[in-house]
Amino acid sequence: MNIFRLLGDLSHLLAIIILLVKIWKTRSCAGISGKSQILFAVVYTSRYLDLINAFISPYNTIMKIVFLAASYGTIYLMYMKFKATYDVNHDTFRIEFLIAPAAVLALIVNHAFEPLEILWTFSIYLESVAILPQLFLVSKTGEAESITSHYLFMLGSYRALYIFNWIYRYYAENHYDLIAIVAGIVQTVLYCDFFYLYITKVLKGKKLQLPA
Amino acid sequence: HQTNISKDEL
């Protein structure tokens, strides 16, 4: 464990908490993409199956359980409890166009052709594009509540911090995983436009308005 | 072997 990965995990945890608080407090999931939340649940489920047979550390196990519970809890809040506030008309990204290519690519480019390895690779590829429905929704509505933009900033920062973690581990432990690194860079690049808007607007107290 | 490294990451 290194400071970059710890900060990244905490940023990720904070993002998930911000989202749950936002939905619970405002009793509304307006502006949130249910499609992205479904993709995140698929990502965590396919990646954390090793909870059954691999124990790495209490921290690792607890965080995986928290991420799984929070992602399914968010889906429950969005599609059941506060279903009436779900923006079904704008949340129209075809997630099958993200899941299928990630699955095909995982079968072709992987470290080993074994079930758990393929599922892990699929989850890495899918996570890199899982935020697209959310960014698509924000661009369609043209704006986002400031708490939603804080959620997105934390979520984008988590994988950006992981990139520093991979650089650190390359020099400190002479290890690297190209699949995770390439997908992590793609994932972070997708946030760049949002990061720019967040830093130039939201941090100045303005609302996040996308240029129409 | 490089793959075991990322399996200790979330």
Side-chain angles (χ1 to χ4, degrees):
Chain A
M1 176 56 80
N2 58 69
I3 184 66
F4 304 112
R5 186 145 61 96
L6 184 62
L7 288 178
D9 291 340
L10 294 180
S11 178
H12 191 184
L13 182 66
L14 191 56
I16 288 177
I17 291 169
I18 290 173
L19 182 61
L20 281 171
V21 164
K22 175 250 187 286
I23 296 175
W24 187 258
K25 287 273 183 205
T26 64
R27 302 184 72 73
S28 158
C29 51
I32 304 297
S33 164
K35 303 276 183 86
S36 277
Q37 298 310 316
I38 290 170
L39 291 178
F40 287 128
V42 170
V43 164
Y44 301 139
T45 306
S46 54
R47 188 180 305 177
Y48 298 158
L49 289 174
D50 64 353
L51 268 174
I52 304 161
N53 63 0
F55 177 80
I56 290 156
S57 71
Y59 168 83
N60 188 275
T61 303
I62 292 168
M63 290 294 268
K64 285 177 176 177
I65 292 168
V66 168
F67 288 166
L68 278 166
S71 67
Y72 283 102
T74 303
I75 288 174
Y76 163 73
L77 290 179
M78 292 192 70
Y79 285 97
M80 292 185 214
K81 194 159 179 60
F82 301 121
K83 184 178 175 59
T85 65
Y86 171 50
D87 191 355
V88 67
N89 301 312
H90 286 121
D91 191 16
T92 56
F93 200 101
R94 304 286 301 277
I95 55 176
E96 53 272 36
F97 293 156
L98 299 175
I99 295 174
V104 169
L105 192 59
L107 290 168
I108 299 167
V109 181
N110 53 61
H111 291 310
F113 201 79
E114 288 138 21
L116 272 182
E117 189 66 35
I118 299 281
L119 281 169
W120 175 84
T121 310
F122 165 68
S123 83
I124 291 289
Y125 294 150
L126 188 61
E127 186 190 7
S128 64
V129 292
I131 200 61
L132 281 175
Q134 177 65 60
L135 296 179
F136 178 75
L137 174 64
V138 171
S139 66
K140 268 189 96 172
T141 54
E143 63 179 8
E145 290 172 34
S146 58
I147 192 162
T148 305
S149 49
H150 298 320
Y151 158 69
L152 284 170
F153 180 74
M154 285 296 155
L155 197 59
S157 305
Y158 130 70
R159 215 64 181 170
L161 286 162
Y162 256 65
I163 293 172
F164 293 107
N165 152 65
W166 291 319
I167 295 169
Y168 172 85
R169 294 191 89 166
Y170 178 72
Y171 288 110
E173 301 162 22
N174 195 23
H175 271 307
Y176 64 95
D177 183 330
L178 267 186
I179 286 179
I181 292 170
V182 173
I185 290 170
V186 167
Q187 181 169 338
T188 305
V189 164
L190 290 177
Y191 280 86
C192 283
D193 172 38
F194 166 76
F195 280 146
Y196 172 75
L197 288 169
Y198 183 82
I199 289 163
T200 55
K201 292 205 173 159
V202 178
L203 291 190
K204 294 201 172 97
K206 293 181 202 143
K207 203 171 166 59
L208 184 82
Q209 304 269 350
L210 291 184
Chain B
H1 185 48
Q2 75 175 23
T3 49
N4 60 19
I5 172 184
S6 31
K7 297 309 181 291
D8 68 344
E9 293 179 349
L10 289 176

